[in-house]
Amino acid sequence: MAGPRVVIIGAGVVGAALADEISARGWTEVTVVDQGPLPATGGSSSHAPGLVFQANPSKTMTELARYTVEKFCSLDVDGQPCFLQVGGLEVATTPERVTELHRRHGWLTAWGVDSRILTADECVEKHPLVNRERVLAGLHIPTDGLAKAVLAVEAQIRRATGRGVTFLARHEVLDVLRADGEVTGVRTDQGDLAADIVVCCAGIWGPKIARMVGMNLPLTPLGHQLAWTGPVPALAGQTEEAVRPILRHQDADLYYRDRHDTLGIGYYGHRPMPITADEILSVDEADAMPSVLKFTEDDFADAWTETQSLLPATKDAKVEEGINGLFSFTTDGLPLLGESPDVKGFWVAEAVWVTHSAGVGRAVAEWLVDGHCSSFDLHECDVNRFEPHQLSPEYVLARDCQNFVEVYDILHPLQPSGDPRPIRTTPFHARQQELGAFFLEANGWERPQWYEANAPLVEGRSIVTPNDWAVRYWSPIVAAEAQTTRETVAMYDMTALKRLEVSGRGAADLLERLCTGKVAKSVGSVTYTLLLDHDGGIRSDITVARLAPDVFQVGANGNLDLDWFTRHLPADGTVQVRDITPGTCCIGLWGPLAREVLQPLTDEDFSATGLKYFRARRAHIGSVPVTAMRLSYVGELGWELYTTADLGQKLWDTLWRAAKPLGGIAAGRGAFNSLRLEKGYRSFGTDMTYEHDPYEAGVGFAVKADKEDFVGKAALERRRADVRRKLTCLTIEDPRAVVMGKEPVYDGQRAVGYVTSAAFGYTIGKGIAYAWLPAELAVPGTTVHIGYFDQRVEAAVAEEPLFDPAMSRLRG
């Protein structure tokens, strides 16, 4: 036996996949427990219809699905295949859905999955039951298909058992045992099991298991209708289980699959049917299985009417059976993976559907065995990504139900979230409302996208309206605010960006160990630096300001940065880290007249030599104590001004009174994004993630190779010599061709990369798109094309930054 003692709770598709993957990596002292029988344990895996569609706006989710397809295609049980690769077909019955299919085709192309847009006639050729009069177009993915979930569980159980893994059926988990903040085992109704690591793969029971260690999972089991027809005469004589592609009719929230001469019909168009994990019946109490609730015929009525219209052959059949099957939904539609922040050794792999199950099994196995995941970027899936308010029961229920309702909806990248809202408002909120702010949500904060009060600034400016998709959640005011920032001065609400305080006599040493740059410099220094994983991938880019010998303020990207610092705290208590975001606020005061606004308000010297670029100091602005950092994410002279939340409105009013006579404005996030791309500033999570290293991402300057050591240094040195792709600046001449991100990039007819961030540059008068491209194409002057819906937009590789390359405006 090798490796630590591992207990996996749950033997569905996720638990079985993890047991298989982890044992393949040499950890064999593994026990898998489940309250139900094997291999059909009674959870979601046991009733799942098995449709695997790989199209997803998330690159990670598509890659997890692609691995699942590849693995399931290689599995069988006594000659029975675990995957029927019949392909997938998504049909459009409205013009809007046709456009959406082109967008989805773009995602698949960007993420390396083969697909093709079909005509209506071609859709009928692929699936002859489809009514030609209803369909306008389709999207075909040849590698999609039907996962035989229970067979896949059995196949992976057999493989893992062959390596020494133990599977225990009919073992109900009663508690997770722990001591001194670490797991020690699992208590079942048939005895205790010792463990160094416990992984919760309990699916719809996940919240119940997690509560045993005080962990709150933002997961809700919801009922989802699945019905089966009786024999369809048009399918008479079909001996193979499935011969037609799996079919999605997303305009009506429906999907379909073959089962010999019958059809399975899945429906998301009904009311949300949430249930708590505690309300789910036990294996012995349930009539069929715990994850199957009684079919509610009235909720299915519209689905059956629409089915008979799309698939007229079903008029000769009837619905003979159905279930309301329980599946897991989360607040952002993504899985919950990772280790508890409070109990060492307790891990979760939750909210994972069959589609992504094998990929998740591999990802978590790598994470456990190697200390990081090398095959997938998991930052979107990390269970520690949530803000505290995102774990409240009211929020979780509302957003989980919303995600159920929207599962097939056409969602714009900027589309505002639903209730509950507003949740977090900055001290400037009342003033922003007075200025007619159009708010979008950022980490729960209400953040202005633009201000209607600035509408008069549009007059006299040549502002081109972008295309029909990019114009949503846009206003010409965005352009006016961006240009005014370059001309005079603007105030930006930066409160939504997370701020951490790292303090104590060991703070400098901790930061030196975690950061790629030298941060233990003089008091008042500010450093742009990176956090790397052990494989050299970028975990975050941050700013570190030394405010006192033992006090540092970190400008972070989210809760995962707080989690990373917390996990690396020394055991001797010499360092403390805390989230100071809720009690503070920030205004970015930027523009060529920023000093004329600020200097008369303070006795401190804010001249170019009095407070240099990337320096910080404490000061009073009027009567408001602030921490001023001479930084600018928009490429203009100015400062980030921090104060406590109680003084935020006073700071706003003080600056506003001084800025207004100089033509100053309040500006929103739309302008901010345009300005930051003109300067080539990266955004973590969009432009660069865990899968990228600093040299690929163009932030190698933040790595001080002469440092003695830092996390990820050894791996990074190996990666530095082999840069095969680069984050590349592209410009677009056509002013209406504003792309939005995640589009494929082509070299001729060959897809070679994908867009990350994009916006129109209102200073340079061109569209801007950053994209990952092969290094040999990342040469200024190279022409490529961006796949934007059904168009090809010409773009040129450009030198960066596009604006003020000499940095004269920032340093003035």
Side-chain angles (χ1 to χ4, degrees):
M1 302 293 254
R5 298 167 299 176
V6 179
V7 172
I8 298 171
I9 301 173
V13 282
V14 181
L18 177 56
D20 179 36
E21 296 283 345
I22 203 171
S23 60
R25 286 163 175 77
W27 282 17
T28 55
E29 197 166 348
V30 178
T31 303
V32 184
V33 297
D34 199 291
Q35 62 183 341
L38 299 175
T41 61
S44 300
S45 304
S46 301
H47 74 255
L51 287 79
V52 175
F53 285 91
Q54 296 166 84
N56 196 291
S58 164
K59 181 173 182 283
T60 296
M61 295 298 280
T62 295
E63 290 174 341
L64 292 169
R66 180 168 54 197
Y67 179 79
T68 300
V69 167
E70 292 169 355
K71 182 175 182 180
F72 282 10
C73 282
S74 71
L75 299 177
D76 72 90
V77 175
D78 301 330
Q80 299 180 76
C82 294
F83 195 80
L84 306 177
Q85 200 160 41
V86 293
L89 177 63
E90 303 181 8
V91 294
T93 59
T94 63
E96 294 78 13
R97 185 66 63 176
V98 174
T99 302
E100 171 71 357
L101 292 187
H102 282 285
R103 185 168 70 129
R104 296 172 68 80
H105 172 60
W107 295 338
L108 288 161
T109 304
W111 313 147
V113 177
D114 181 47
S115 67
R116 191 166 72 88
I117 297 293
L118 303 184
T119 65
D121 288 337
E122 290 173 320
C123 290
V124 176
E125 289 177 16
K126 293 288 183 185
H127 201 300
L129 298 188
V130 169
N131 182 354
R132 171 64 181 81
E133 300 305 313
R134 291 291 315 281
V135 175
L136 302 177
L139 173 63
H140 182 240
I141 306 98
T143 52
D144 284 351
L146 287 167
K148 308 285 288 180
V150 175
L151 281 180
V153 168
E154 185 172 358
Q156 292 175 103
I157 286 176
R158 290 185 182 187
R159 285 160 51 123
T161 301
R163 302 186 193 105
V165 174
T166 300
F167 285 81
L168 300 176
R170 294 287 186 173
H171 280 60
E172 182 182 357
V173 173
L174 303 177
D175 199 5
V176 177
L177 307 176
R178 56 204 183 279
D180 300 322
E182 299 183 21
V183 298
T184 59
V186 169
R187 175 155 294 158
T188 78
D189 59 353
Q190 298 191 45
D192 293 352
L193 301 167
D196 305 302
I197 294 171
V198 174
V199 187
C200 178
C201 302
I204 53 179
W205 290 278
K208 182 177 181 179
I209 300 297
R211 278 203 313 271
M212 296 176 182
V213 298
M215 190 175 182
N216 188 359
L217 285 186
L219 180 161
T220 303
L222 280 106
H224 160 55
Q225 291 201 303
L226 175 66
W228 295 96
T229 70
V232 178
L235 304 182
Q238 180 176 318
T239 57
E240 294 182 61
E241 180 177 348
V243 297
R244 279 162 289 278
I246 53 176
L247 178 67
R248 281 210 277 197
H249 176 26
Q250 292 166 295
D251 285 319
D253 298 303
L254 286 159
Y255 63 78
Y256 304 93
R257 57 151 296 177
D258 287 10
R259 188 177 68 177
H260 303 292
D261 62 347
T262 69
L263 286 178
I265 307 168
Y267 186 44
Y268 287 105
H270 56 79
R271 61 191 169 88
M273 303 175 186
I275 188 173
T276 69
D278 295 308
E279 293 174 307
I280 302 171
L281 297 176
S282 69
V283 173
D284 294 328
E285 291 174 322
D287 291 335
M289 60 182 75
S291 61
V292 170
L293 306 182
K294 184 179 179 181
F295 187 62
T296 50
E297 294 184 14
D298 289 347
D299 290 305
F300 196 72
D302 290 343
W304 183 234
T305 299
E306 180 62 24
T307 295
Q308 293 176 88
S309 174
L310 183 73
L311 308 175
T314 58
K315 293 178 181 179
D316 298 322
K318 62 180 180 178
V319 175
E320 291 199 348
E321 56 180 309
I323 63 171
N324 290 356
L326 294 176
F327 287 96
S328 299
F329 282 79
T330 61
T331 55
D332 57 8
L334 295 165
L336 308 173
L337 312 179
E339 188 179 20
S340 161
D342 302 313
V343 179
K344 186 177 180 181
F346 183 81
W347 290 67
V348 299
E350 289 292 349
V352 181
W353 292 7
V354 173
T355 298
H356 309 102
S357 58
V360 166
R362 178 175 181 174
V364 176
E366 289 180 352
W367 200 349
L368 287 166
V369 175
D370 302 330
H372 60 86
C373 177
S374 57
S375 296
F376 310 97
D377 163 38
L378 296 181
H379 86 275
E380 294 178 313
C381 306
D382 194 312
V383 70
N384 297 297
R385 65 189 180 268
F386 299 102
E387 295 291 321
H389 74 273
Q390 294 173 319
L391 300 176
S392 70
E394 179 189 37
Y395 182 94
V396 170
L397 180 61
R399 290 293 170 91
D400 288 359
C401 288
Q402 178 183 339
N403 280 328
F404 177 89
V405 170
E406 294 179 345
V407 71
Y408 280 172
D409 286 1
I410 299 171
L411 301 176
H412 191 275
L414 296 178
Q415 186 160 324
S417 302
D419 291 333
R421 188 177 172 217
I423 297 176
R424 307 171 87 179
T425 56
T426 75
F428 323 129
H429 188 69
R431 297 293 184 257
Q432 292 165 342
Q433 287 181 309
E434 292 168 3
L435 294 173
F438 178 83
F439 291 101
L440 296 180
E441 185 183 3
N443 298 323
W445 295 99
E446 295 295 312
R447 183 168 65 185
Q449 192 74 0
W450 68 81
Y451 294 87
E452 289 295 332
N454 293 326
L457 296 175
V458 174
E459 187 175 349
R461 299 178 187 270
S462 179
I463 301 171
V464 178
T465 300
N467 57 74
D468 292 346
W469 186 246
V471 79
R472 300 184 189 184
Y473 309 107
W474 177 87
S475 165
I477 297 170
V478 169
E481 290 179 356
Q483 292 174 350
T484 301
T485 303
R486 297 265 190 246
E487 296 161 358
T488 57
V489 64
M491 294 164 51
Y492 288 84
D493 183 354
M494 303 299 290
T495 304
L497 300 182
K498 185 171 283 290
R499 294 169 293 285
L500 308 176
E501 182 184 85
V502 182
S503 61
R505 58 186 174 85
D509 289 340
L510 173 68
L511 289 167
E512 283 292 315
R513 183 163 60 88
L514 296 182
C515 296
T516 61
K518 295 180 179 179
V519 298
K521 298 184 288 191
S522 62
V523 172
S525 65
V526 183
T527 306
Y528 174 81
T529 185
L530 307 173
L531 303 176
L532 302 184
D533 215 327
H534 297 279
D535 64 348
I538 300 170
R539 287 195 64 94
S540 189
D541 64 333
I542 61 174
T543 56
V544 179
R546 193 169 199 174
L547 303 182
D550 293 342
V551 178
F552 296 80
Q553 182 170 311
V554 175
N557 280 298
N559 216 55
L560 291 182
D561 292 345
L562 173 61
D563 182 66
W564 186 252
F565 282 121
T566 302
R567 291 182 188 279
H568 287 86
L569 290 176
D572 60 9
T574 57
V575 186
Q576 296 79 46
V577 60
R578 65 188 184 99
D579 183 359
I580 61 172
T581 313
T584 57
C585 57
C586 178
I587 294 174
L589 181 71
W590 294 312
L593 301 185
R595 187 173 284 119
E596 294 182 39
V597 172
L598 194 64
Q599 188 60 78
L601 301 175
T602 180
D603 293 333
E604 298 289 338
D605 183 3
F606 277 85
S607 68
T609 54
L611 185 61
K612 296 180 179 180
Y613 189 50
F614 265 81
R615 297 289 297 180
R617 75 151 49 110
R618 297 239 168 87
H620 282 83
I621 306 302
S623 59
V624 180
V626 302
T627 298
M629 298 187 195
R630 192 167 168 203
L631 309 175
S632 174
Y633 207 48
V634 301
E636 292 291 338
L637 168 69
W639 300 267
E640 293 179 357
L641 302 171
Y642 299 89
T643 192
T644 51
D646 59 320
L647 292 169
Q649 185 169 297
K650 181 66 174 177
L651 176 63
W652 179 282
D653 291 344
T654 302
L655 293 172
W656 182 253
R657 283 194 298 269
K660 193 66 176 167
L662 298 175
I665 62 168
R669 188 69 178 184
F672 178 92
N673 198 46
S674 171
L675 296 170
R676 71 105 177 164
L677 285 177
E678 289 183 331
K679 282 299 293 180
Y681 293 144
R682 277 64 168 147
S683 174
F684 177 80
T686 303
D687 298 316
M688 54 191 185
T689 67
Y690 293 2
E691 68 175 301
H692 307 114
D693 71 48
Y695 304 111
E696 297 171 327
V699 289
F701 63 87
V703 178
K704 301 304 178 186
D706 59 345
K707 280 188 67 173
E708 183 175 338
D709 196 17
F710 53 83
V711 172
K713 181 181 180 182
L716 188 60
E717 289 174 347
R718 294 190 296 270
R719 295 176 68 154
R720 183 175 188 175
D722 189 28
V723 176
R724 301 183 183 183
R725 58 183 176 179
K726 288 187 176 180
L727 184 61
T728 307
C729 179
L730 304 176
T731 57
I732 302 166
E733 294 293 336
D734 182 350
R736 279 184 51 81
V738 177
V739 301
M740 299 291 292
K742 301 186 178 182
E743 297 89 358
V745 180
Y746 295 88
D747 176 31
Q749 295 303 309
R750 180 174 62 108
V752 292
Y754 59 92
V755 173
T756 57
S757 295
F760 192 81
Y762 297 106
T763 311
I764 66 168
K766 296 180 181 180
I768 306 169
Y770 272 77
W772 282 100
L773 295 181
E776 64 271 17
L777 291 178
V779 178
T782 302
T783 298
V784 295
H785 289 82
I786 299 170
Y788 190 60
F789 295 98
D790 59 346
Q791 307 165 26
R792 293 289 178 91
V793 176
E794 185 175 300
V797 176
E799 292 273 10
E800 58 174 331
L802 299 168
F803 176 78
D804 189 26
M807 306 282 281
S808 59
R809 295 171 76 100
L810 279 169
R811 299 179 184 278

